[in-house]
Amino acid sequence: MSGPVHRSGPRGLGRGAALTLVFASVLATAAATGSLPQGGGAGGASLKTRAVASTADRDAVAHAAAEAVADGKSGTEAAEEVVSRSGDRWGAVYDEREYEEFEQALDGSYTGVGLAAKRSADGLVAVARVQPGGPADRAGIRQGDLLRTVDGHRVDRRPVSEVVALLRGDRTDAAAGTTVALGVQRGATGATRKLMLTRARLTTEAVTVQQLGTDRSDSSAAVLIKVDSFTKGAGAKVRDAVRSAPAGAGVLLDLRGNPGGLVTEAVIAASAFLDGGLVATYDVHGEQRALYAEPGGDTVRPLVVLVDGGTMSAAELLTGALQDRGRAVTVGSRTFGKGSVQMPSKLAGGSVAELTVGHYRTPAGRSVDGHGITPDLAVSSGTLQRGETVLSGLGGGS
């Protein structure tokens, strides 16, 4: 297994957290609400730039895993210990089952109960989103409900990433068909209900399209394209939505809370709005490479991109490209600042290590990692409404 990983998203949060609702929900919410460790604050607070993993680091990880397996120990755990000391913020080690789960998540599916969590205003853990038809939805859990316990563990003040890990379960009980007990409270004074949910294999809808405005018959009304994550096929869905939008209608491209995914999908999405040209550059062990949009995109339709502190990685790459190329007006708050390239390598015992090998830059040469993207128009609240106003001013309807 070799070559750069053209995907992105939070890795160094603990494997359980990173795999529960990978990309599509919980981690995005965690980033936006400041519950990610080591600097992932609301509004895209700056992160410290970490050193790129060296060849010695990769060799050390591989050696530790091989030595542990030879001694009858866990190669995964030995490799994890080395990675944790390496200073690679986004480095991670997965056992075979976890990596398979991770790969499936990139296809838009995951095992879980179908809810996303966030930190509430008073510091508790609240339900941010419930997937229609999922176990949480069928159990009557609603957005805004408070999670008080998971399998008997109080979660009131725990980091959201830890709550996500509990929801997913450990290595032995994270499969579809296993159960998790939740204590859920509706409202600040409501009684806590005890619910037993069965984890299921769920699919996510990465791209949704909606026509804005009160008069749906207005052919010039703006089109809202919401991209929750860049899983497989997301780029083509964005391109198809742009092509099918009414003539004269502007586009609001909503990347808020999008924690990344496959960079190739973000490039396809960029191709919907660009007629070829540079999308980003990146380096792998010092070797410079570039990503280009396909020709033939819509370069005329008015475009506004909405971003926030949960806009990460591939979503930041897309935002930076459209901003630098003068194709869009960006509205919202500064993005998260994750712009690194990971490379996977298979270890003794079947586990997989992913270490950082390079970083992305926008067409203008700006570094995303540790800096994020500053929008053209900074907005702390009412981002969608402000975006509609800007789009209307560009002649894209409302």
Side-chain angles (χ1 to χ4, degrees), residues 252-314:
L252 277 170
L253 182 62
D254 191 351
L255 301 180
R256 292 175 296 171
N258 183 324
L262 293 163
V263 170
T264 50
E265 296 296 333
V267 173
I268 293 172
S271 300
F273 304 102
L274 300 171
D275 186 15
L278 187 64
V279 174
T281 60
Y282 66 100
D283 60 281
V284 175
H285 303 312
E287 179 183 346
Q288 298 300 311
R289 306 181 186 183
L291 298 169
Y292 294 95
E294 297 177 1
D298 187 329
T299 61
V300 178
R301 191 184 300 274
L303 175 64
V304 171
V305 179
L306 308 180
V307 297
D308 65 6
T311 305
M312 303 174 67
S313 303

Side-chain angles (χ1 to χ4, degrees), residues 181-202:
L182 303 183
V184 181
Q185 179 182 351
R186 181 156 298 165
T189 59
T192 298
R193 297 175 292 150
K194 304 295 183 182
L195 301 173
M196 184 68 71
L197 275 61
T198 300
R199 298 181 179 95
R201 195 75 197 166
L202 302 170

